[in-house]
């Protein structure tokens, strides 16, 4: 609808709108996830990110599921990557706008989107208070900024069509003909559907999943090497626990229902993309720090 509104009634208008979403993802990667890096590094990482399946599917498929997943993944990353209760109000508002855009993007998935929103805020807030009890005083207004922005973005649509969206969701899940969307798999089949199953193969790809696992192992090794003397305390204060928890929670929430489709796991695929980029940026920063230290040693 936004594509037709902006460009007119043309066959290419929806594709142009999806192109704007892809451009937004590129800016999010380059200007936020890659902050602190040179332009050359940003161009390299953006080029690498564009080869991920989920962004390719965004271009090829005219489905809102993929855009919904990218918005949800972006919101989850913004909330959980660092100290949420000590974040700036701008970050809180932008995270809320991401979640609000996700809720408007595909209203029929609003219950899942709302569940992920509430869970994300709860996990991030709980871990922050666990780390520093003084952050409890920020609990209300930080989450209020985020939720208020979400409500402001989603309200115009849901005030008019909210009942229709909920009715559609309940019909698909519980109504007549809902068995069309049911997938009869074993417990293991449901668990891996969005990882190594059909959904994961379509939205992530085995090779990228393998690279993500490799990045994760290297990151854990670097963290252990730097903090092994006081590993527990360092993990509690510095390790991105909320983001790791939300990746597991997102996988769980999407995998448990028997109602499945290859596109429904886009939020999890988006999290794999964004966290892979975060780990790659971490490696580059570590490389630059080591190179700088070696340079100073040689000069001395």
């Amino acid at each position: 609808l936004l594509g037709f509104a902006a460009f007119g009634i043309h066959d290419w208008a929806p594709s142009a709108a999806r192109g704007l979403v892809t451009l937004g993802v590129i800016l999010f990667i380059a200007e936020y996830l890659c902050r602190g890096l040179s332009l050359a590094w940003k161009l390299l990482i953006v080029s690498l990110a564009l080869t991920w399946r989920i962004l390719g599917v965004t271009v090829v498929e005219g489905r809102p599921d993929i855009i919904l997943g990218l918005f949800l993944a972006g919101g989850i990353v913004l909330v959980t990557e660092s100290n949420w209760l000590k974040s700036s109000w701008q970050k809180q508002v932008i995270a809320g706008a991401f979640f609000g855009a996700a809720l408007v993007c595909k209203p029929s998935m609003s219950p899942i989107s709302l569940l992920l929103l509430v869970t994300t805020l709860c996990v991030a807030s709980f871990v922050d208070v666990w780390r520093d009890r003084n952050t409890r005083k920020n609990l209300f207004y930080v989450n209020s900024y985020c939720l208020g922005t979400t409500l402001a973005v989603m309200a115009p649509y849901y005030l008019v069509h909210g009942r229709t969206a909920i009715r559609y969701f309940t019909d698909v899940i519980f109504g007549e003909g809902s068995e069309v969307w049911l997938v009869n798999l074993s417990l293991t089949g449901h668990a891996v559907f969005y990882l190594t199953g059909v959904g994961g193969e379509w939205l992530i790809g085995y090779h990228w999943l393998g690279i993500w696992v490799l990045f994760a192992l290297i990151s854990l090794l670097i963290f252990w090497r730097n903090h092994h003397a006081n590993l527990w305390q360092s993990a509690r204060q510095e390790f991105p626990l909320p983001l790791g928890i939300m990746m597991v929670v997102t996988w769980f929430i999407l995998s448990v229902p028997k109602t499945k489709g290859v596109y429904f796991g886009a939020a999890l695929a988006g999290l794999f993309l964004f966290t892979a980029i975060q780990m790659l940026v971490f490696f580059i920063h570590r490389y630059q720090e080591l190179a700088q230290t070696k340079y100073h040693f040689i000069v001395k």
Side-chain angles (χ1 to χ4, degrees), residues 287-300:
Y287 166 76
Q288 291 177 335
E289 290 171 4
L290 291 174
Q292 191 71 15
T293 302
K294 184 177 181 180
Y295 172 78
H296 283 307
F297 178 78
I298 294 174
V299 169
K300 287 181 180 180

Side-chain angles (χ1 to χ4, degrees), residues 58-81:
T58 305
V59 175
V60 174
E61 294 283 348
R63 294 174 177 269
D65 307 71
I66 314 301
I67 301 172
L68 161 77
L70 291 170
F71 280 142
L72 285 175
I76 291 171
V77 167
L78 287 171
V79 173
T80 59
E81 66 168 353

Side-chain angles (χ1 to χ4, degrees), residues 30-68:
E31 299 303 322
Y32 186 77
L33 298 182
C34 296
R35 58 193 183 278
L37 295 181
S38 65
L39 179 60
W41 279 117
K42 289 181 179 180
L43 290 173
L44 179 62
I45 293 174
V46 166
S47 299
L48 183 64
L50 288 173
T51 65
W52 276 63
R53 281 182 177 270
I54 186 169
L55 291 184
V57 175
T58 305
V59 175
V60 174
E61 294 283 348
R63 294 174 177 269
D65 307 71
I66 314 301
I67 301 172
L68 161 77

